[in-house]
Amino acid sequence: MDLKSVKRNLLLAVFLTTTAAMAAEPEPLFAGGMDLGGGHGIACFANAEQAQAVKDQQGKIDSHSLEQITSLEPLDLAEAKASSDTLVEPYSGEEYDQFVERIIFYTESSSPAIGAKLRKAQEALWATYYSTPHPIVAFFGKRISLSANCTYVQLAFQYMREAHVHLDSRLFFHPRMTVQGQATLVLHELVLSLFGSDESSGTKTSAAVSVLLTAHLSPSEVTRRLTQLGLLQETEPQD
């Protein structure tokens, strides 16, 4: 593994305390359950047959399918694009950890109480990578309409009680995954850890990430929307 690859693999340490190597594999708890939250993505292929092959495997991306991906992004990013005209974009040369840091810094400035919660989630979560194809976990969030050559895949999943995130390294570092996509997935996991794993958490997490990614919102509007979603209770101090 070259130095650049090592650097990319260790970038998670900037925002998540990484305590295991890439070889670590998750426990096989893929039937869902209230302690398990997912990080879903949308993978598209050159034709519908390739997408159907992945669907037939319950969303598993094997080595052949991995090479056939033509586009890949977190579901939250797709939903944010659909709900907002203008999203925050990464700067030229900006890595995903720097992008995440910029989003959290702005949130701390616009809504200190919510920013503090995101910082606390950063400190609490720890992450490992896995590289074995796994099926989709319980899907509590809303689904959007996909073209025939696209399908849902699992990018990551989180054990809530353990504050432990597993990231599929093959997809997270896939050449079709953008910096904006990587950062969106990280934000998803941070926000999901705050909401927990009830049946509404997926929808609320996606909506909150959309707010964090939307450009040109005033500080008061950021606070209002995130409070409305439940990231901050009405009785909590807001500064």
Side-chain angles (χ1 to χ4, degrees):
M1 182 179 293
D2 60 27
L3 182 60
K4 183 178 180 181
S5 296
V6 173
K7 177 178 179 291
R8 286 178 65 80
N9 292 339
L10 294 179
L11 277 173
L12 277 174
V14 176
F15 56 87
L16 298 175
T17 305
T18 305
T19 60
M22 284 187 65
E25 293 293 339
E27 293 296 320
L29 297 178
F30 293 96
M34 300 318 290
D35 183 46
L36 188 62
H40 297 99
I42 299 171
C44 296
F45 302 86
N47 55 62
E49 289 74 20
Q50 292 172 333
Q52 188 60 50
V54 173
K55 292 178 185 178
D56 292 343
Q57 293 298 315
Q58 297 179 304
K60 288 184 181 180
I61 298 286
D62 59 22
S63 57
H64 175 71
S65 299
L66 193 68
E67 297 175 355
Q68 306 303 315
I69 293 175
T70 58
S71 70
L72 178 66
E73 65 181 359
L75 176 57
D76 283 8
L77 182 55
E79 292 183 353
K81 289 177 179 178
S83 63
S84 174
D85 292 332
T86 308
L87 298 182
V88 180
E89 299 283 347
Y91 296 141
S92 177
E94 191 173 38
E95 295 277 6
Y96 67 87
D97 62 303
Q98 298 168 319
F99 188 22
V100 169
E101 179 63 27
R102 185 155 55 92
I103 293 292
I104 295 179
F105 181 79
Y106 178 76
T107 306
E108 288 176 318
S109 302
S110 60
S111 181
I114 294 176
K117 288 192 171 189
L118 290 174
R119 287 291 181 202
K120 186 176 181 180
Q122 272 189 322
E123 296 169 0
L125 283 175
W126 61 289
T128 54
Y129 295 98
Y130 67 94
S131 57
T132 302
H134 284 293
I136 292 202
V137 300
F139 203 123
F140 293 138
K142 66 179 180 181
R143 295 175 183 252
I144 61 178
S145 178
L146 301 181
S147 63
N149 64 317
C150 298
T151 188
Y152 290 104
V153 295
Q154 196 70 38
L155 301 176
F157 61 97
Q158 183 178 151
Y159 291 105
M160 302 299 181
R161 285 193 294 266
E162 300 172 9
H164 185 181
V165 177
H166 291 287
L167 295 168
D168 187 328
S169 60
R170 306 166 312 135
L171 299 179
F172 191 76
F173 294 115
H174 193 281
R176 297 295 184 180
M177 178 72 84
T178 65
V179 168
Q180 189 181 42
Q182 291 172 320
T184 299
L185 181 60
V186 173
L187 290 171
H188 173 93
E189 298 303 330
L190 293 176
V191 173
L192 181 64
S193 72
L194 298 176
F195 277 130
S197 57
D198 61 52
E199 293 190 8
S200 66
S201 62
T203 300
K204 291 189 296 185
T205 295
S206 294
V209 171
S210 290
V211 173
L212 294 174
L213 290 175
T214 299
H216 310 310
L217 288 180
S218 67
S220 61
E221 183 64 10
V222 170
T223 300
R224 186 191 70 80
R225 294 189 187 189
L226 294 178
T227 301
Q228 190 175 52
L229 288 168
L231 267 186
L232 190 69
Q233 301 302 316
E234 298 290 348
T235 55
E236 291 184 83
Q238 299 195 17
D239 52 36

